[in-house]
Amino acid sequence: MTLRAAVRAVLAVVIVPAAVLAGERARSTGPAGGAATSARREKVARAALALRDRLVAQRRDFHMHPELSNREERTAGVVAERLRALGLTDVRTGVARHGVTALLVGGKPGPVVAVRADMDALPIQETIDVPYKSQVAGVKHACGHDVHTTVELGVAEVLAGMKAEIPGTVKFIFQPAEEGSPAGEEGGAPLMIKEGAMENPRPAAIFGLHTNPNVDVGQIAYMSGPAMASSDHLYITIRGKSAHGAQPHAGVDAVVVAAECITALQNIRSRRIDPLEPLVITIGTIHGGVRNNVIAAEVKMEGTMRTLSEDVRQRAKALVRETLQSITAAYGATFELNMDENAVVTFNEPSLVLETLPTIRGVVGDANVVAIKPLMPAEDFAYFQKVVPGFYYFLGVGNRAKGITAGWHTPEFDVDEDSLVVGVKVMSNVLLEYLERHAAAGK
Ligand SMILES: [Zn+2]
Ligand SMILES: [Zn+2]
């Protein structure tokens, strides 16, 4: 989840009524079970459990050596070395600076499926006193990407041990700079895609997971359809004309015009867009003027805009421009507007969610799979989902009894490490059963 996305999201875990889940199960594709499936799930569970201590050690190693976006050199080195040791092929490094991709070609014919983990940390000073405390001042894995990387390496190990029986190919993607590249640098999912990570071979679908401290360890949370918001960074400059503070009619007061603009931008949310469509427009900074008794010639503002629909996003972007245009014109001021796209909507393809849920339920149990509301933070996994259908779900890492409740991007963020085995089990089975289903269907 991106740094810029951490605007104090209020997260509500909504347990969907049993009747809804039952209906969803009825519509899903065929039975989840079968003797062969059960046996394979047990085999995966044993393999994942056997990795437990090493998963914990690996996650702690990453946690103690966090690296900022586009600087994940050590992490990528550990990842590439591990993938090579496991016998994966076509291990490519340096994709989008420090990204790594690799293939596990199964022993049976079948399609290609991808799994993605992000590797970067955040410029946050860790405050919790744990044996695996960050050893880098001011840098911390506060979003759980250490968990994501560890889980995906665990999945690679489990699946490498079952290579002969895998019908198809798993493409492993380890991505840098999910939290946002440093100013002036490209990075993250868009750059990986630009540099060919989704080609040769192109996967038919992609899966990913994210830690969620609001979901208990042992549980998986998901959304079907829009899952996380788009994010656009707004840069606004209002230009007026300076004058004596006691003679405002001789100038154009950029502060007053900016105030009108801010109010009017909020009215886009309340009066111009369908109330049933989520939209947030936040002006987060405002700077202008030089003195108490001088009419301000210029005001600069920055903000963020979040939606769960591309249509709403495009409409809102047009309305922001139109609003600034009209209000500044009414007062004889001018404006400049730049909108930088940080992320598009994370969209979980409903049919892929539906066909995958029986696997997840089969692994963690029906009661441990919870549907939650979409989140307004953004996630650049969304760009992979623009290339092929994808499903991004949440791995429960919270544990109230152990006091593990701190939110993403906080100095206290931590995870219950029991989540590592759960993550490996679930993702391994999700990938295996995707390949089984689609190899059988011939697509
Ligand atoms: Zn994040
Ligand atoms: Zn994240």
Side-chain angles (χ1 to χ4, degrees), residues 1-3 116 118 120 122 142-145 148 178-179 209-211 228 378-379 392 408-409:
M1 167 167 320
T2 54
L3 173 58
R116 170 274 209 175
D118 43 9
D120 53 331
L122 288 156
C143 203
H145 299 186
H148 307 166
E178 194 284 327
E179 299 287 0
L209 59 73
H210 201 292
T211 59
M228 298 178 73
E379 164 60 57
Y392 198 64
W408 291 300
H409 294 206

Side-chain angles (χ1 to χ4, degrees), residues 32-42:
T37 303
S38 303
R40 194 179 49 238
R41 286 180 189 166
E42 274 171 35

Side-chain angles (χ1 to χ4, degrees), residues 74-351:
R74 179 187 182 276
T75 308
V78 171
V79 166
E81 189 185 311
R82 190 82 203 108
L83 297 175
R84 289 197 184 99
L86 289 170
L88 270 66
T89 53
D90 199 13
V91 179
R92 289 187 223 169
T93 57
V95 184
R97 289 173 182 262
H98 298 299
V100 182
T101 65
L103 299 179
L104 180 66
V105 182
K108 299 179 186 173
V112 181
V113 67
V115 55
R116 170 274 209 175
D118 43 9
M119 303 188 289
D120 53 331
L122 288 156
I124 292 174
Q125 175 66 44
E126 184 148 75
T127 56
I128 47 171
D129 193 16
V130 286
Y132 45 89
K133 190 168 180 172
S134 169
Q135 296 185 352
V136 184
V139 184
K140 171 187 163 87
H141 271 293
C143 203
H145 299 186
D146 50 344
V147 171
H148 307 166
T149 306
T150 303
V151 166
E152 192 167 315
L153 284 176
V155 170
E157 180 153 1
V158 167
L159 298 185
M162 302 172 70
K163 189 173 166 177
E165 59 191 278
I166 296 176
T169 296
V170 181
K171 176 176 259 191
F172 290 87
I173 297 175
F174 290 87
Q175 183 206 305
E178 194 284 327
E179 299 287 0
S181 315
E185 291 180 24
E186 276 188 90
L191 189 58
M192 282 204 95
I193 293 164
K194 197 165 137 187
E195 295 190 5
M198 292 293 275
E199 305 302 329
N200 301 317
R202 184 189 181 93
I206 186 164
F207 292 90
L209 59 73
H210 201 292
T211 59
N212 191 328
N214 300 295
V215 176
D216 288 341
V217 63
Q219 297 194 317
I220 297 293
Y222 73 96
M223 311 83 157
S224 182
M228 298 178 73
S230 62
S231 168
D232 291 279
H233 191 149
L234 310 179
Y235 301 86
I236 301 166
T237 304
I238 307 290
R239 294 203 176 89
K241 186 171 174 289
S242 193
H244 192 290
Q247 296 171 318
H249 60 286
V252 175
D253 191 343
V255 165
V256 168
V257 178
E260 292 250 356
C261 287
I262 292 168
T263 306
L265 290 173
Q266 293 310 308
N267 289 344
I268 293 175
R269 160 63 284 173
S270 72
R271 286 298 174 268
R272 306 295 299 275
I273 297 286
D274 182 343
L276 296 178
E277 293 282 2
L279 171 68
V280 174
I281 299 174
T282 291
I283 299 299
T285 71
I286 173 164
H287 296 102
V290 290
R291 252 190 83 95
N292 71 309
N293 57 358
V294 175
I295 296 296
E298 186 178 276
V299 171
K300 284 183 178 290
M301 302 185 279
E302 286 187 38
T304 187
M305 192 172 81
R306 310 298 174 97
T307 77
L308 292 173
S309 145
E310 186 58 26
D311 286 350
V312 172
R313 177 169 172 249
Q314 293 307 333
R315 172 114 179 94
K317 283 172 75 170
L319 285 170
V320 166
R321 185 169 295 280
E322 191 182 306
T323 299
L324 294 175
Q325 172 73 55
S326 305
I327 290 177
T328 52
Y331 290 90
T334 58
F335 77 105
E336 196 178 306
L337 169 66
N338 288 304
M339 289 183 269
D340 275 1
E341 175 180 297
N342 287 334
V344 292
V345 177
T346 302
F347 185 85
N348 289 332
E349 183 60 39
S351 62

